[in-house]
Amino acid sequence: MKLLKQRDLDLNAAVEICQVDKVLTKQFQRMRQESTPSGGNIDGIQGQKQPKRYVPPSQQKGSQRGMCHYRGSSHPYGQCPAYGKTCTNYNKRHHFASVCMSRNTVDPSQRKSLNILQADNVVDDGPCDDLFIGGINTEKSDAWNVSVNIGNGKMVEMKLDTGADANVINAKDLGESTIFPTHAALTAFGNNIIKPSGFGMLDCKIGVRPCQKLKFYVVDSGLSILGRSACESLNLVQRIQQLRHAEYSPISKEKFLQDYHNVFSGLGEFEKEYDIQVRPDVEPKIQPAQNFPFAIRDQLNETLVQLEEKGVIVSVDSPTDWVNNLVVTKKKNGSIRICLDPKSLNQAIKREHFTLPTPAEVQAKLIGKKVFTVLDQRDAYWQVKLTEQSSFLCTFNTPWGRKRFQRMPFGICSASEIIQKRNFETFGDIPGVH
């Protein structure tokens, strides 16, 4: 019938509908097979039903003499011997145990361990409840189990079930305790009825939380369960009425820089120094002094002084095997950048050949991401300190004498892979950093 209702039905759509229907049919069959009346996960109250009122046979429809469902034999109407009697199976009124509709599956020897009070009106059980049980199993989940002290130092492992409106305790966990008769019934999937042996009032305590007197229905098998109300009373769960975003005030750029000024001032430094390795078959070379335009000499001298104050370069007074030229470039902000021009030195440097990530590799890792932050290392090369021997390899000429780099300079052929290696060693284990 469902296929007939579909418009523009083709073969693929028909096959897909049939496959979905087949899977759903198997799932419903499996659910009905797993619904057995032993154990108990109480998922909720299906509703409350008032106890059926007894109607004497004299008031029932029809006047013919027949078999009585309350005695098990025939008798004149209005003269049923079972009227006013109590069933010994489940303590129900107005019928004998031999015709009781609620079959008791409890071993009589086990039932004797419970002190069931037969007197009427000892404890009021309230209206007769029909409790709905979502599924029957005996599997335990440590994440939703808690040890409850039910008095006299007795600890019982109970499952937290926020979908249940009643508490259930296994008769084995209860031990020899007083329970009272009850007319409540537990209903599982497939309308399977589980009749509790009775109910009891237990003083429950968990850790240092206040003690709470809770009502428990006693069953003969399955897990002991704490329902929703009990979980709230014992402060195990809390009802959330509304979800709100955490209130916060965005921090300004000035406030951020002020709070973390030590991160944004000075020159950083990686822990590991860089030792430049050179080939022994390449002869050292000393480049001749280079002339700089007079228009930039003052600015060049000022920049060199600043670099010496930062510890990037230092003056050289002793002879050195290598002397390189200097390249000066203008930045967008008007300042100048000093780079080494080590043509001969680059031919002698042994590279480590650390693999640099390609743009395609980085883009592949960003698939599905929505928020991005780009961090730029300020003067990244200068954050790698050189060994003293490597520092003398980076000596260069200036109009004011020779100087050498104490930090890795711009221009050497291995600089890019060394800085990438240092970044990977420092930040490579942080998830989401590329």
Side-chain angles (χ1 to χ4, degrees):
M1 294 297 295
K2 188 172 182 181
L3 294 177
L4 297 177
K5 296 179 181 180
Q6 299 294 327
R7 294 182 178 180
D8 300 331
L9 182 66
D10 56 8
L11 179 59
N12 293 333
V15 171
E16 183 178 359
I17 293 175
C18 294
Q19 290 178 346
V20 172
D21 182 72
K22 183 177 180 181
V23 172
L24 292 177
T25 302
K26 290 184 178 180
Q27 290 180 351
F28 283 125
Q29 292 176 353
R30 189 182 301 111
M31 291 173 62
R32 285 194 291 268
Q33 292 174 1
E34 292 178 354
S35 300
T36 57
S38 60
N41 285 343
I42 298 181
D43 292 339
I45 291 291
Q46 188 181 32
Q48 293 184 348
K49 295 182 180 178
Q50 296 296 330
K52 295 182 179 179
R53 185 173 63 88
Y54 171 75
V55 180
S58 60
Q59 300 180 11
Q60 296 180 359
K61 293 184 179 180
S63 58
Q64 297 181 359
R65 184 187 183 95
M67 180 67 67
C68 177
H69 298 287
Y70 303 99
R71 178 188 179 186
S73 61
S74 60
H75 60 80
Y77 290 118
Q79 300 180 12
C80 179
Y83 181 71
K85 302 300 181 179
T86 301
C87 171
T88 58
N89 280 351
Y90 285 101
N91 303 311
K92 289 187 176 181
R93 306 292 299 278
H94 310 304
H95 66 273
F96 292 142
S98 60
V99 294
C100 181
M101 301 296 293
S102 302
R103 298 298 181 185
N104 190 0
T105 59
V106 184
D107 186 3
S109 61
Q110 182 179 1
R111 191 189 307 155
K112 292 180 180 179
S113 64
L114 302 177
N115 182 15
I116 303 178
L117 300 186
Q118 301 291 344
D120 294 337
N121 299 326
V122 175
V123 175
D124 185 12
D125 188 28
C128 180
D129 295 335
D130 187 8
L131 305 178
F132 178 73
I133 300 179
I136 308 298
N137 61 70
T138 57
E139 296 180 358
K140 292 187 177 181
S141 174
D142 295 338
W144 290 97
N145 286 359
V146 64
S147 296
V148 182
N149 187 344
I150 61 173
N152 298 326
K154 183 175 179 59
M155 304 298 295
V156 177
E157 191 80 6
M158 295 188 180
K159 177 183 178 181
L160 307 185
D161 192 346
T162 56
D165 287 340
N167 307 315
V168 176
I169 188 170
N170 192 307
K172 297 179 180 179
D173 295 335
L174 183 63
E176 296 183 2
S177 300
T178 302
I179 66 172
F180 306 97
T182 180
H183 298 292
L186 309 180
T187 305
F189 282 124
N191 293 327
N192 295 313
I193 304 299
I194 299 177
K195 190 66 177 70
S197 304
F199 76 95
M201 305 300 296
L202 303 179
D203 294 327
C204 298
K205 186 176 182 181
I206 299 178
V208 296
R209 297 179 177 90
C211 182
Q212 300 287 336
K213 183 176 287 295
L214 303 176
K215 179 180 179 180
F216 282 84
Y217 289 97
V218 183
V219 295
D220 303 303
S221 60
L223 302 176
S224 298
I225 295 174
L226 280 178
R228 181 182 62 253
S229 299
C231 291
E232 292 180 346
S233 300
L234 295 172
N235 295 325
L236 296 175
V237 297
Q238 184 177 5
R239 182 178 301 179
I240 304 298
Q241 303 290 354
Q242 183 179 3
L243 295 178
R244 295 185 304 173
H245 292 287
E247 298 180 358
Y248 69 94
S249 56
I251 186 173
S252 62
K253 176 182 177 180
E254 292 73 15
K255 182 68 167 53
F256 186 81
L257 294 177
Q258 181 181 358
D259 294 344
Y260 303 97
H261 64 90
N262 59 324
V263 179
F264 299 97
S265 60
L267 187 61
E269 179 181 330
F270 287 98
E271 295 182 358
K272 190 175 181 180
E273 295 182 345
Y274 176 38
D275 184 20
I276 301 177
Q277 301 291 328
V278 294
R279 294 164 50 188
D281 58 332
V282 178
E283 295 183 359
K285 291 188 179 180
I286 299 178
Q287 300 293 339
Q290 184 180 3
N291 293 324
F292 294 94
F294 287 97
I296 65 170
R297 283 203 173 190
D298 293 339
Q299 189 176 10
L300 175 59
N301 186 31
E302 182 180 353
T303 303
L304 292 174
V305 172
Q306 293 176 357
L307 293 180
E308 285 194 64
E309 293 176 352
K310 292 181 179 180
V312 177
I313 62 176
V314 66
S315 298
V316 178
D317 296 329
S318 59
T320 58
D321 296 332
W322 292 88
V323 177
N324 304 279
N325 285 329
L326 200 63
V327 177
V328 180
T329 59
K330 277 274 189 179
K331 294 183 180 180
K332 293 181 179 180
N333 58 5
S335 61
I336 62 175
R337 175 185 284 117
I338 297 178
C339 304
L340 201 64
D341 185 17
K343 294 181 180 180
S344 302
L345 181 61
N346 282 339
Q347 297 177 359
I349 292 178
K350 295 180 180 180
R351 296 179 56 182
E352 298 185 7
H353 296 286
F354 185 82
T355 304
L356 301 179
T358 62
E361 293 176 348
V362 176
Q363 292 173 2
K365 296 179 180 178
L366 300 180
I367 295 177
K369 307 299 188 296
K370 297 180 179 180
V371 180
F372 304 92
T373 300
V374 178
L375 299 179
D376 184 17
Q377 288 179 288
R378 184 179 181 181
D379 299 325
Y381 288 5
W382 291 349
Q383 297 186 27
V384 179
K385 193 173 182 180
L386 299 175
T387 62
E388 185 176 4
Q389 181 179 0
S390 300
S391 177
F392 280 102
L393 296 176
C394 298
T395 303
F396 59 94
N397 277 315
T398 71
W400 304 276
R402 288 174 302 137
K403 302 182 182 298
R404 59 183 173 91
F405 278 95
Q406 296 189 112
R407 304 294 181 98
M408 186 172 66
F410 297 92
I412 61 175
C413 60
S414 59
S416 60
E417 57 192 32
I418 292 300
I419 189 61
Q420 182 66 27
K421 181 179 179 181
R422 295 293 185 271
N423 283 330
F424 182 80
E425 294 172 347
T426 307
F427 309 109
D429 59 339
I430 302 178
V433 177
H434 308 290

